[in-house]
Each structure stands twice: as C-alpha cells, then as structure tokens.
Amino acid sequence: MTGNLYRGQAGLPFSSSLRIYEPLEAFPPEQQRQLVAEGSKAGSRAAIENAELQASLGRITRSGGDPFPTGRTDLVRMTRVPGGRHAAGSATAANKEDHDTGRLLYCPSQLVIRAGLAANALMDGVHSPLADLLIPVSQRDKHQIRIDRINAGEDAKRVHTRASTWGIPFSWFSLFTESDRKDVVESEGRILTVRVWTPITEALDRARFAVAHLALAAPDLDMLDDLTQLTEWLELFHVQSMVELDYGAVADKVYPDESPMDVRLGIECLAEGDMTGAAAAYRRLASRWIPIRQLARAS
C-alpha cells in the first residue's frame, strides 16, 4: 500500500483526533530515550498517518484472531514550537511539515493502552454481545498482560490522544479560537486534513471558562460533563504542552469550519440568558455536523 491509502481512506469511517504534545522532560527517562529513537525515524506526518492506518488494517486481517497492537513499536508524532515559544497563526500547504527550528514536542501513539480502552468501551456499550464475537475473551486477557506491562514502567494515566469517529465532539471546539494556528493539508484538489494548534494553557483557560458558564446557565447539558472530563484530562499534562485538533478526512466535508466560534457564541449566549442566540448557534453546528454523523448509519 502507498500514500494513496492515507489520501483516500475509501470506505473507512471519518476519524478525528485530539492530541497533546509534551516536551521531552515531561516523560520518564526510559520513555525519553524511546521517544527520541522512534521520533528520529518517524518521517513526515503523512508517512506516520499512513503507517498507522496500514498497521490497523493489518491487525484486522492477520491470523490468530488477535486484533490488538503488540506494543513492540510505537509511532511518535512530533511538532516544533518555533523559537522555543508557542506560536499562533495560519499556514496552508499541499504537504506541510512542521517548522525546522524550535523546541521539539512529542506525542506517543500509545496504541496498546488506547486499544484496551476502546475494547472496554465496546464491551460496556450496547453492542457488547457482538463485541464478544469480535474480541474473544482469550485475546482480551492476552492484551491486558501487555497493558499491565506498560503500566508498570510508565505513567500510563496520561493518554495523549483522544479519537472520535463520524464527527468531532462539540466540547473539543471549546478549546480553540479562530486565531489559532491552522495547518491545512491538501492534495490534488482535496483537503486531506486540517490541524488546529493552541498552547495547553490557552486550552485550559477556555475549557474552564466554558465549564464555569455552563455550570450556571445549563447544568443539565451533556456538554458540561464532556467539558469537565476534558478539563481534568488537560490538567494531567506539562504546562508547556501544545494541543492539536486533527480533523482527519472529515475536513474535506466541513472546512472552512466555524464550529469553534459557534460553540463559543452558544456558551456566551447561554450565560447571558440569550436563548435565541444560543439556539441559532446550535442550529449552525447541527446543520454542519448532523449530516456527518448520519453517515455512520448509511449503508
């Protein structure tokens, strides 16, 4: 398979990610050495995304019935903070890579831990009888041994990536504004992905602002629970980290996207008691994202 797999992803669900990139000193010494080693051979972002996709498809089709990653290797994404400082701004490129100078930040894929969390969520969900068929108990037990091995050697509580299929949770947009740096990755007239970046300190301030206002104005809103969990997650990471929202292939359907502004306006309107304004912001969000989510049920 080639880079066309990364560009096309035909027939696969739209998948988006929220990632935390931390400075090297935020990791335990042994993991620091692994990150530097893996990062030195990682290649371009397109190559990393393609390698991760190929590996996931390979696990589905391999013999033995074990769909889980083994953990023998772990992909590492890196970015640079230009000039050693967090940068804002916008950039558009056909195959844009990070700047050549500045401080390196690292985001390990942590596929073993994330696969275990995903399996647990599937087992606890409405499709648990089907999950028993897809993931036999023997394979789940085998994978738990891998997770226990990682937990013994690393700070596994800090899972650096959150993923979402068939749309982006509205709570994620509360972390970003229109002025944040954007990388628009295009090829052959298509938008492959859009990546939005912000310093974690900014993301936390915005999340706490949203939680405080929703707690007063709409305490029963599901988004408040999502934002509370999101804030607690962000607080686990180094203060000099960066937060990346990676739209993935769904960007070609929704970009240019005003969702961060609509979420912020909706929260502000709720706080001010402006139900008409809040409803208008939600309608804009719904008209953009409900058709995407409906694709999950399309045959």
Side-chain angles (χ1 to χ4, degrees), residues 80-212:
R80 291 182 184 271
V81 182
R85 294 174 288 110
H86 298 311
S90 177
T92 303
N95 260 313
K96 183 172 180 58
E97 304 304 331
D98 292 307
H99 299 280
D100 293 331
T101 60
R103 190 182 193 198
L104 272 174
L105 304 178
Y106 297 82
C107 177
S109 290
Q110 298 171 293
L111 288 177
V112 170
I113 293 173
R114 288 168 51 209
L117 293 172
N120 290 339
L122 185 62
M123 298 304 302
D124 294 338
V126 295
H127 301 299
S128 56
L130 178 60
D132 280 325
L133 297 175
L134 295 175
I135 312 175
V137 174
S138 60
Q139 298 299 343
R140 296 201 300 273
D141 291 343
K142 181 179 178 181
H143 190 67
Q144 186 60 49
I145 295 173
R146 297 177 187 135
I147 293 174
D148 292 342
R149 189 180 305 124
I150 290 176
N151 287 345
E154 298 176 9
D155 181 7
K157 293 180 180 179
R158 289 166 40 249
V159 179
H160 289 70
T161 302
R162 292 190 167 203
S164 175
T165 55
W166 300 116
I168 297 174
F170 293 165
S171 59
W172 292 9
F173 292 121
S174 68
L175 307 182
F176 302 92
T177 69
E178 309 86 86
S179 62
D180 288 331
R181 167 189 156 193
K182 297 178 183 66
D183 294 342
V184 182
V185 186
E186 299 176 283
S187 178
E188 299 175 0
R190 291 184 55 200
I191 298 177
L192 305 183
T193 189
V194 173
R195 301 186 185 109
V196 190
W197 300 81
T198 196
I200 197 168
T201 50
E202 296 287 342
L204 267 169
D205 285 346
R206 295 163 187 168
R208 289 166 178 158
F209 172 88
V211 167

Side-chain angles (χ1 to χ4, degrees), residues 20 29-30 32 35 40 46 51 61 76 83 102 119 160 169-170 176 197 202 213 219 223 232 257 263 272 294:
I20 307 293
E30 180 58 33
Q32 289 183 25
L35 290 170
S40 65
T61 57
V76 177
H160 289 70
F170 293 165
F176 302 92
W197 300 81
E202 296 287 342
H213 282 77
M223 187 176 169
E232 293 171 350
D257 180 33
V263 168
E272 295 168 1
Q294 288 174 336

Side-chain angles (χ1 to χ4, degrees), residues 38 62 69-74 112:
E38 294 296 329
R62 71 186 177 196
T70 62
R72 283 192 290 268
T73 60
D74 191 30
V112 170

Side-chain angles (χ1 to χ4, degrees), residues 9 13-16 164 166-168 190-194 246-255 288-289 292-293 295:
Q9 298 190 30
F14 290 136
S15 179
S16 307
S164 175
W166 300 116
I168 297 174
R190 291 184 55 200
I191 298 177
L192 305 183
T193 189
V194 173
D246 188 344
Y247 277 66
V250 76
D252 196 52
K253 302 293 184 183
V254 301
Y255 196 79
R288 191 177 301 126
W289 290 103
I292 300 296
R293 291 170 181 169
L295 293 174

